[in-house]
């Protein structure tokens, strides 16, 4: 008897999360063991509401799968729902009932930290209650902050977008002969991976960005002003994480964020670049501009990394095949050998809720730049230009 | 005897201004009548400082010209210098002296409104003083606000970037099932061309952006809130020009701009999106985010319109050839027939200092959207994906 596989997407969008969804579809088709591929609309909420899309039908053709691969953000919709701590909560029984009613034996959840927590809980609930459904996690997050895996799908494309945009902004900023400062704010609440990736904008010809500040190091405004004074260029380019904090752990943008929090209680940040812009104008009296890259970082599908897309498809495929082969309570991850990557799996309880920061050897001593070791790490992840199918001068994206 | 041609770039950068520079070089090479092609470093300031780059040498190879064509912002550097009103000012004599000393008989200036004013003054000065130097203007501006010409080189690429980014941001914003508002702020101090171009993000499947506000119409905050309430989508996307003003002519961002002005006395605007974001949060209590596209709009060379690049090269070439053939005091411009464009020239005094606004038939009656007529106008300008030479996953850009 053939069973169904269900797949959901959760957390913040990326430019590669649909490539992983495509991989899950291709893995399920490839296995020959699957009846239907059910897409959970809005992640685990789609299960609770019994709202499924029949992906076997929708993506039977390779042409449609190609368009899925290049479409940004979660095709199935996303959610930010966190399951209850107490495994005896009725919500678990409801989820399992819906899955069993729909003949689902395999479940792949594509997401970040909070989503891996969902996979962890559901797989523990299933084991404790002798339920024969396999739960597997496929990572995605532009933040690149999941433990164990060498990198997270979605990060490479975001890194490529940030580096390209910073290179362009830096060239733009340097056209006038007068002294100026450009501050680019990148995403990263606690981890500086995206901000650090801006260093890829540098070449032998172009020295920008001159200064890079990540949340892993305490940020001093006095030191920042001194650093700018010491840059040997009429046009200084700084890239800073939204989440930089002073030595007391207070966010630099604290004043501007007015304490708004998301549903997980994370502080909603914005405005670090703007705060620093005003400080530079006041203290140095030079022309200064700040640019917040904002959500463009996670959805700029028009400039995806081919390596990111290929590996995102691959990890989705292996997640489906692993679930079908009997694995449960695991997250798929990448191991690097040289410039190539191999997909493996690991007990998800060792991964969920762990946040991976930039390691010390990736940040310079002064805390105002990154090291060559980081460049070596990130360079292979942005390689290659993913195919982009356009119509009338615009990328073709699809909708559920 | 062969003479030299000088070429300068001025005003704000675009993703196509170097394509026009490339056209000037190719026109000069093609004419067979030119000794050297002198690039003025930082526009007219480069003439005053006798700071020239030998472009004939730098761009002898087609390979180098290809890289020039894809490099954003002004390769030669830019300036925001406005020449004195009084043609008897010593600065005019100085400019002419330097040009004559360097054997320059032809001068092409690539720029926007303020730059065309420079060409106008220099050509009038030359005529009045019987000086045999021909001054020709080649337009560029992402703002698309120059008179006479059907469109301005640089606008098509900026329009393509904005429409693509808005499509991506809209897909990103719609992933959660909860009600939300996304406000995207586009450039445009007085003219709404760039903001209007965001309508190209729409397809049969995607209805965003739902509301578009341009500076040509008075902006009412109450009406804006009502408009949002009336949108039939859980995820409302609004695109607004930085320069929208209320019925009294006060900028919506007035509070936030704190009266900083640029060297021409234009108010430096920013924060319209942020101001509206706070108003929506307060009045509607829904999730809201604002994204300021900022200078990315004018330098996103990684996604240029092929039509924009081809026509930008063409107009540069014809500008050089026109100057060599004896024209002076003219700006080159585009005339449209169907979907094709022809380069012509026009007396520059009829163009300089005129600002072309969106015409009435391009804006809907309610003033919260654009019309199909505008889509017909803008669609041909974003067509085709310009070639992008990359190395190690990053676009290759060059530096003087």
């Amino acid at each position: 008897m053939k069973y169904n596989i269900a797949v959901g997407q959760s957390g913040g969008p990326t430019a590669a999360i649909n490539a992983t969804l495509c991989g899950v579809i291709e893995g399920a088709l490839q296995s020959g063991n699957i009846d239907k591929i059910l897409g959970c609309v809005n992640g685990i909420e789609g299960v609770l509401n019994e709202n499924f899309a029949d992906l076997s039908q929708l993506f039977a053709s390779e042409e449609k799968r190609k368009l899925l691969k290049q479409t940004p953000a979660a095709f199935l919709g996303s959610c930010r729902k966190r399951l209850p701590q107490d495994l005896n909560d009725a919500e678990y029984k409801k989820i399992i009932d819906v899955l069993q009613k729909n003949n689902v034996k395999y479940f792949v959840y594509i997401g970040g930290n909070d989503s891996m927590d969902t996979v962890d809980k559901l797989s523990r609930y299933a084991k404790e209650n002798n339920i024969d459904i396999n739960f597997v996690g496929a990572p995605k997050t532009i933040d690149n902050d999941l433990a164990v895996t060498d990198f997270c799908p979605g990060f490479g494309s975001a890194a490529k977008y940030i580096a390209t945009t910073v290179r362009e902004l830096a060239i733009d900023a340097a056209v006038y002969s007068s002294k100026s400062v450009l501050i680019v704010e990148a995403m990263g609440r606690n981890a500086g991976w995206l901000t650090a990736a801006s260093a890829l904008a540098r070449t032998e010809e172009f020295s920008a960005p001159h200064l890079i500040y990540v949340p892993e190091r305490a940020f001093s405004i006095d030191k920042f002003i001194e650093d700018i004074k010491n840059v040997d260029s009429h046009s200084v380019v700084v890239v800073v994480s939204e989440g930089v904090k002073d030595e007391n752990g207070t966010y630099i943008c604290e004043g501007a964020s007015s304490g708004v929090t998301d549903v997980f209680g994370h502080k909603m940040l914005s405005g670090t670049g703007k705060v620093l812009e005003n400080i530079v104008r006041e203290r140095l009296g030079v022309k200064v501009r700040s640019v917040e890259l904002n959500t463009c970082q996670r959805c700029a599908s028009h400039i995806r990394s081919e390596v990111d897309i290929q590996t995102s498809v691959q990890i989705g495929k292996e997640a489906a095949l692993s679930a079908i082969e009997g694995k449960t309570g695991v997250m798929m991850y990448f191991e690097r050998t040289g410039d190539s990557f191999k997909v493996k799996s690991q007990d998800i309880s060792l991964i969920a809720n762990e946040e991976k920061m930039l390691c010390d050897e990736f940040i310079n001593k002064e805390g105002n730049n990154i090291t060559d070791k980081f460049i070596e790490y990130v360079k292979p992840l942005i390689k290659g230009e993913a195919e982009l199918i356009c119509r009338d001068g615009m990328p073709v994206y699809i909708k559920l």
Side-chain angles (χ1 to χ4, degrees), chain A:
Chain A
M1 181 183 171
K2 282 185 176 181
Y3 293 93
N4 294 336
I5 185 169
V7 55
Q9 296 170 302
S10 170
T14 80
I17 188 168
N18 289 333
T20 299
L21 176 61
C22 190
V24 171
I25 295 169
E26 291 179 353
L29 293 174
Q30 190 183 306
S31 80
N33 267 328
I34 295 297
D35 183 16
K36 276 188 198 161
I37 306 163
L38 302 179
C40 313
V41 178
N42 293 116
I44 201 70
E45 282 177 4
V47 181
L48 285 162
N49 303 325
E50 213 173 334
N51 190 2
F52 297 112
D54 185 347
L55 302 178
S56 343
Q57 289 236 320
L58 278 173
F59 295 104
S61 82
E62 204 194 323
E63 191 52 35
K64 278 302 280 290
R65 294 202 295 275
K66 265 192 180 180
L67 295 179
L68 176 62
K69 251 191 270 187
Q70 74 175 34
T71 296
F75 175 79
L76 293 168
S78 183
C79 67
R80 285 222 175 260
K81 187 173 172 55
R82 215 176 156 99
L83 293 183
Q85 278 305 327
D86 180 5
L87 291 188
N88 294 315
D89 192 286
E91 210 158 52
Y92 289 97
K93 186 169 182 321
K94 182 154 187 215
I95 290 170
I96 298 297
D97 283 351
V98 173
L99 292 177
Q100 287 182 326
K101 183 180 156 199
N102 284 278
N103 201 29
V104 172
K105 197 169 163 185
Y106 319 108
F107 185 94
V108 176
Y109 211 31
I110 310 167
N113 244 320
D114 296 314
S115 319
M116 294 309 121
D117 178 72
T118 296
V119 174
D120 182 32
K121 286 171 176 161
L122 285 172
S123 64
R124 281 196 283 122
Y125 178 87
K127 276 178 202 163
E128 284 176 20
N129 295 278
N130 287 316
I131 291 156
D132 191 16
I133 303 179
N134 299 333
F135 294 90
V136 171
K140 74 81 219 169
T141 167
I142 61 164
D143 292 324
N144 205 38
D145 60 353
L146 293 180
V148 177
T149 189
D150 180 77
F151 71 93
C152 299
F155 170 65
S157 293
K160 187 186 186 89
Y161 172 80
I162 291 169
T164 301
T165 302
V166 167
R167 183 176 286 181
E168 291 169 344
L169 288 170
I171 293 173
D172 177 288
V175 294
Y176 298 113
S177 53
S178 51
K179 180 93 187 166
S180 69
V181 177
L182 170 70
I183 300 165
V184 180
E185 178 188 326
M187 280 179 162
R189 192 183 277 120
N190 300 314
W193 299 96
L194 289 170
T195 304
S198 66
L200 290 165
R202 294 178 192 144
T203 64
E204 276 178 27
E205 283 185 297
F206 297 105
S207 55
H210 307 93
L211 298 164
I212 296 176
Y213 300 95
V214 293
E216 284 84 351
R217 293 289 178 270
F219 185 88
S220 149
I221 286 171
D222 290 337
K223 175 70 167 47
F224 165 69
I225 294 293
E226 281 312 304
D227 287 348
I228 289 176
K229 283 187 193 163
N230 290 333
V231 172
D232 181 26
S233 169
H234 76 282
S235 170
V236 181
V237 179
V238 181
V239 184
V240 62
S241 290
E242 58 177 339
V244 289
K245 302 176 217 50
D246 67 17
E247 53 180 4
N248 303 317
T250 307
Y251 285 111
I252 296 302
C253 64
E254 197 86 355
S257 74
S258 35
V260 181
T261 56
D262 72 11
V263 292
F264 297 124
H266 304 141
K267 276 196 181 177
M268 290 260 288
L269 303 179
S270 84
T272 301
K274 204 74 188 166
V275 169
L276 295 178
E277 174 192 324
N278 290 330
I279 292 171
V280 168
R281 186 175 294 115
E282 203 175 286
R283 295 226 198 156
L284 297 178
V286 296
K287 198 178 119 188
V288 53
R289 181 190 281 274
S290 64
V291 174
E292 188 184 344
L293 296 180
N294 219 313
T295 43
C296 301
Q297 287 163 88
R298 65 184 191 198
C299 64
S301 272
H302 66 272
I303 181 169
R304 287 157 302 136
S305 147
E306 175 64 10
V307 165
D308 188 32
I309 296 309
Q310 274 180 12
T311 51
S312 295
V313 170
Q314 193 195 346
I315 207 166
K317 201 179 272 185
E318 306 245 12
L321 292 173
S322 293
I324 294 166
E325 282 159 14
K327 281 200 173 130
T328 189
V330 296
M331 182 187 92
M332 312 309 292
Y333 72 96
F334 290 108
E335 196 177 82
R336 181 190 303 224
T337 319
D339 271 11
S340 70
F341 305 98
K342 203 173 165 183
V343 179
K344 299 199 158 189
S345 67
Q346 167 77 277
D347 183 345
I348 205 159
S349 64
L350 301 173
I351 299 169
N353 303 311
E354 290 291 325
E355 222 172 351
K356 189 175 72 178
M357 305 298 162
L358 274 176
C359 44
D360 288 344
E361 61 174 8
F362 287 166
I363 307 170
N364 75 342
K365 268 192 186 163
E366 282 200 76
N368 61 9
N369 218 323
I370 58 96
T371 62
D372 289 345
K373 267 218 161 10
F374 175 75
I375 299 282
E376 271 171 50
Y377 163 79
V378 75
K379 220 170 174 176
L381 304 179
I382 68 156
K383 278 204 176 148
E385 288 63 60
E387 186 191 14
L388 186 67
I389 301 164
C390 291
R391 193 161 51 221
D392 292 333
M394 294 278 294
V396 182
Y397 299 139
I398 56 169
K399 196 179 169 181
L400 185 61

